[in-house]
């Protein structure tokens, strides 16, 4: 028996759910830059079984898809190994579902799967949604009890670790709990948002801030997810940071950190880290034009953060930003060094840093001039108030 036959025999011994979980885990490791011998062959076989279109993005089976439906707008593809506040990695859903079915609620999960399949076969979508909602409620209640003590929490964490080595999978369980607990509040909030926010100007910032203020009163734990929904509507995602800078007393890092929605700054840094991972994948696959576009977005985000938050370099945000940019610079340097020094590389072009152009520098001076006027007016109002 050759290696291919042995591999096929091994895979067939696994349950369909286990094979799906294995595929998600192998893809996660690949995206994290970890090479596993034989992984491409295994992934190809499993994708042929589970994803007829050859997609590298996990697609849940029907029962789990209905269960995870409230999370859909918050899912991200790939496997970032950082917190990613307000968003959940799609690749963690399969191991979480297996953990629910095998460890958390095995009997109820089995009944749920049968009930869903029966109603799908009967073409009864309303009943399907009702069954899914009831099971979501049961899972939330069990999670509340499970996570009530440190001992039971660690036990649950250990069980989940049997299905994935992802450091953030258990964090995604907690996020799932918060989203399901919020119920219809997040979809209702999402429906109130503009279809697309092409320009996040002062008027739009005020409008969105009012919506967030109202949402936060009733569902403070779900606020990061509401902010993630706002970010989805922005044409330029880094502009999410304006929710913090607009409300701050000044653009000083300390004042921005004290603003009501200061949490958007690390969220923007999370997205910058996502782009770092995407850049690494693009370079590994020789997709230079994709890498070029990603790098331009990365530079724009870095520049915007430094312009809009004075003294960010000395803050925790600035330290993380510099670490990310150092890692990105190493990726670019490694790629450019593959070519002779007399051959220009597209990733080494100064045009990717649009702010280094004459127009960019003039825009910078205009922003700084405006900031001086605004900060001076704010200081004057504060002085008047004190006297």
């Amino acid at each position: 028996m050759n290696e291919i036959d042995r591999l096929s025999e091994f895979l067939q011994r696994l349950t369909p759910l286990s094979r799906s979980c294995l595929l998600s885990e192998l893809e996660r490791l690949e995206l994290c830059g970890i090479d596993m011998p034989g992984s491409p062959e295994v992934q190809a076989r499993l994708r042929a079984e589970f994803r007829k279109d050859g997609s590298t993005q996990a697609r849940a089976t029907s029962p789990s898809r209905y269960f995870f439906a409230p999370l859909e707008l918050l899912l991200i593809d790939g496997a970032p190994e950082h917190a990613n506040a307000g968003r959940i990695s799609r690749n963690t859903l399969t191991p979480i579902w297996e953990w629910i079915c095998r460890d958390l609620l095995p009997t109820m999960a089995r009944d749920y799967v049968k009930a869903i399949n029966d109603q799908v076969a009967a073409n009864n979508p309303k009943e399907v949604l009702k069954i899914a909602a009831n099971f979501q409620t049961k899972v939330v209640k069990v999670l509340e009890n499970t996570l009530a003590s440190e001992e039971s929490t660690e036990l649950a964490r250990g069980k989940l670790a049997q299905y994935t080595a992802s450091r953030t999978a258990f964090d995604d369980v907690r996020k799932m709990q918060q989203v399901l607990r919020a119920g219809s509040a997040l979809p209702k909030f999402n429906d109130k948002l503009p279809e697309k926010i092409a320009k996040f100007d002062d008027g739009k910032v005020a409008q969105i801030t009012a919506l967030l203020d109202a949402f936060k009163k009733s569902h403070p734990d779900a606020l990061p997810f509401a902010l993630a929904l706002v970010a989805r509507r922005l044409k330029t995602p880094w502009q999410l940071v304006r929710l913090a800078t607009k409300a701050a007393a000044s653009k000083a890092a300390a004042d921005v950190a004290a603003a009501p929605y200061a949490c958007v700054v690390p969220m923007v840094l999370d997205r910058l880290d996502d782009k770092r991972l995407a850049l690494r994948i693009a370079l590994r696959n020789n997709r230079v034009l994709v890498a070029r576009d990603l790098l331009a977005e990365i530079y724009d985000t870095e520049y915007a953060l430094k312009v809009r938050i004075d003294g960010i370099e000395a803050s925790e945000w600035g330290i993380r930003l510099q670490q990310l940019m150092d890692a990105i610079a190493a990726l670019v340097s490694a790629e450019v060094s593959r070519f002779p020094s007399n051959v220009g590389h597209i990733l080494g072009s100064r045009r990717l840093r649009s702010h280094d152009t004459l127009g960019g520098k003039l825009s910078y001076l205009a922003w700084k001039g405006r900031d001086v006027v605004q900060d001076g007016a704010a200081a004057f109002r504060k002085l008047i108030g004190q006297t």
Side-chain angles (χ1 to χ4, degrees), residues 184-234:
S184 62
L186 280 168
K188 288 180 180 178
F189 173 83
N190 189 55
D191 290 342
K192 294 177 182 177
L193 295 175
E195 186 64 29
K196 196 70 178 177
I197 304 177
K199 185 178 181 182
F200 205 33
D201 55 19
D202 290 353
K204 278 288 189 292
V205 170
Q207 176 189 356
I208 300 302
T209 299
L211 290 174
L212 288 166
D213 289 345
F215 181 87
K216 185 170 62 172
K217 289 180 181 179
S218 303
H219 304 279
D221 291 342
L223 179 62
F225 308 108
L227 290 167
L229 292 175
V230 173
R232 284 176 58 93
R233 304 301 180 97
L234 295 175

Side-chain angles (χ1 to χ4, degrees), residues 160-358:
L160 180 60
Q162 296 176 10
Y163 308 109
T164 176
S166 172
R167 298 191 304 272
T168 60
F170 197 74
D171 294 332
D172 284 347
V173 170
R174 292 183 180 276
K175 293 178 190 176
M176 176 190 74
Q177 179 189 15
Q178 292 168 341
V179 172
L180 295 180
R181 188 188 292 145
S184 62
L186 280 168
K188 288 180 180 178
F189 173 83
N190 189 55
D191 290 342
K192 294 177 182 177
L193 295 175
E195 186 64 29
K196 196 70 178 177
I197 304 177
K199 185 178 181 182
F200 205 33
D201 55 19
D202 290 353
K204 278 288 189 292
V205 170
Q207 176 189 356
I208 300 302
T209 299
L211 290 174
L212 288 166
D213 289 345
F215 181 87
K216 185 170 62 172
K217 289 180 181 179
S218 303
H219 304 279
D221 291 342
L223 179 62
F225 308 108
L227 290 167
L229 292 175
V230 173
R232 284 176 58 93
R233 304 301 180 97
L234 295 175
K235 180 180 179 181
T236 310
W238 63 254
Q239 288 192 348
L240 189 69
V241 78
R242 294 207 67 221
L243 289 169
T245 57
K246 181 62 180 176
S250 75
K251 289 197 172 183
D255 286 336
V256 176
Y261 295 107
C263 61
V264 298
V265 181
M267 291 177 76
V268 170
L269 291 172
D270 283 348
R271 283 154 176 77
L272 190 62
D273 203 358
D274 290 346
K275 293 189 184 301
R276 175 188 64 82
L277 288 166
L279 176 66
R280 183 177 64 189
I281 295 165
L283 292 176
R284 285 184 62 182
N285 291 283
N286 293 317
R287 301 176 65 187
V288 180
L289 294 181
V290 173
R292 177 200 62 187
D293 293 342
L294 285 167
L295 198 56
E297 292 178 34
I298 287 169
Y299 289 152
D300 286 348
T301 301
E302 175 199 23
Y303 178 65
L305 288 171
K306 288 183 175 180
V307 166
R308 284 163 172 75
I309 305 177
D310 291 340
I312 189 175
E313 293 83 359
S315 68
E316 290 186 8
W317 297 333
I319 293 171
R320 185 183 174 196
L321 175 62
Q322 189 59 53
Q323 290 172 341
L324 288 171
M325 296 310 299
D326 288 345
I328 290 163
L331 289 173
V332 174
S333 177
E335 170 65 18
V336 172
S337 67
R338 296 195 303 115
F339 295 80
S341 57
N342 62 335
V343 177
H345 194 291
I346 192 171
L347 298 189
S349 173
R350 291 189 61 184
R351 293 182 180 179
L352 294 177
R353 291 183 179 271
S354 60
H355 49 275
D356 281 345
T357 63
L358 177 60

Side-chain angles (χ1 to χ4, degrees), residues 6-272:
R6 284 198 295 271
L7 175 61
S8 298
E9 183 179 346
F10 167 74
L11 292 176
Q12 290 307 312
R13 289 193 195 126
L14 302 176
T15 65
L17 194 58
S18 295
R19 292 198 297 274
S20 179
C21 188
L22 174 62
L23 175 56
S24 294
E25 185 68 1
L26 290 174
E27 289 175 344
R28 186 191 69 80
L29 293 172
E30 182 180 39
L31 290 171
C32 290
I34 301 173
D35 294 321
M36 299 286 290
S39 177
E41 293 80 4
V42 175
Q43 289 186 47
R45 286 176 172 270
L46 293 174
R47 284 183 191 136
E49 175 183 355
F50 294 106
R51 304 173 197 164
K52 303 305 181 184
D53 60 353
S55 170
T56 58
Q57 299 174 4
R59 290 292 177 260
T61 56
S62 291
S64 60
R65 187 174 71 248
Y66 290 117
F67 176 80
F68 289 125
L71 279 58
E72 185 61 38
L73 290 177
L74 304 167
L75 296 178
I76 56 171
D77 297 315
E81 295 297 298
H82 52 71
N84 238 313
R87 298 187 298 168
I88 299 171
S89 174
R90 190 185 298 275
N91 274 2
T92 64
L93 297 189
T94 299
I96 289 173
W97 181 246
E98 186 152 356
W99 171 67
I100 290 173
C101 292
R102 292 191 175 188
D103 298 295
L104 190 68
L105 282 170
T107 302
M108 289 185 180
R110 192 161 50 246
D111 294 341
Y112 164 76
V113 169
K114 183 181 183 306
I116 285 289
N117 288 335
D118 288 346
Q119 295 304 320
V120 169
N123 194 25
N124 193 347
K126 289 185 178 180
E127 191 62 25
V128 166
L129 295 178
K130 181 180 178 181
I131 293 170
N134 288 338
F135 189 56
Q136 290 161 4
T137 301
K138 291 176 183 177
V139 170
V140 168
K141 289 181 179 178
V142 172
L143 282 175
E144 288 174 352
N145 293 329
T146 301
L147 306 182
S149 70
E150 186 176 338
E151 182 179 358
S152 59
T153 297
E154 287 307 308
L155 181 62
R157 189 190 300 273
K159 289 286 187 181
L160 180 60
Q162 296 176 10
Y163 308 109
T164 176
S166 172
R167 298 191 304 272
T168 60
F170 197 74
D171 294 332
D172 284 347
V173 170
R174 292 183 180 276
K175 293 178 190 176
M176 176 190 74
Q177 179 189 15
Q178 292 168 341
V179 172
L180 295 180
R181 188 188 292 145
S184 62
L186 280 168
K188 288 180 180 178
F189 173 83
N190 189 55
D191 290 342
K192 294 177 182 177
L193 295 175
E195 186 64 29
K196 196 70 178 177
I197 304 177
K199 185 178 181 182
F200 205 33
D201 55 19
D202 290 353
K204 278 288 189 292
V205 170
Q207 176 189 356
I208 300 302
T209 299
L211 290 174
L212 288 166
D213 289 345
F215 181 87
K216 185 170 62 172
K217 289 180 181 179
S218 303
H219 304 279
D221 291 342
L223 179 62
F225 308 108
L227 290 167
L229 292 175
V230 173
R232 284 176 58 93
R233 304 301 180 97
L234 295 175
K235 180 180 179 181
T236 310
W238 63 254
Q239 288 192 348
L240 189 69
V241 78
R242 294 207 67 221
L243 289 169
T245 57
K246 181 62 180 176
S250 75
K251 289 197 172 183
D255 286 336
V256 176
Y261 295 107
C263 61
V264 298
V265 181
M267 291 177 76
V268 170
L269 291 172
D270 283 348
R271 283 154 176 77
L272 190 62

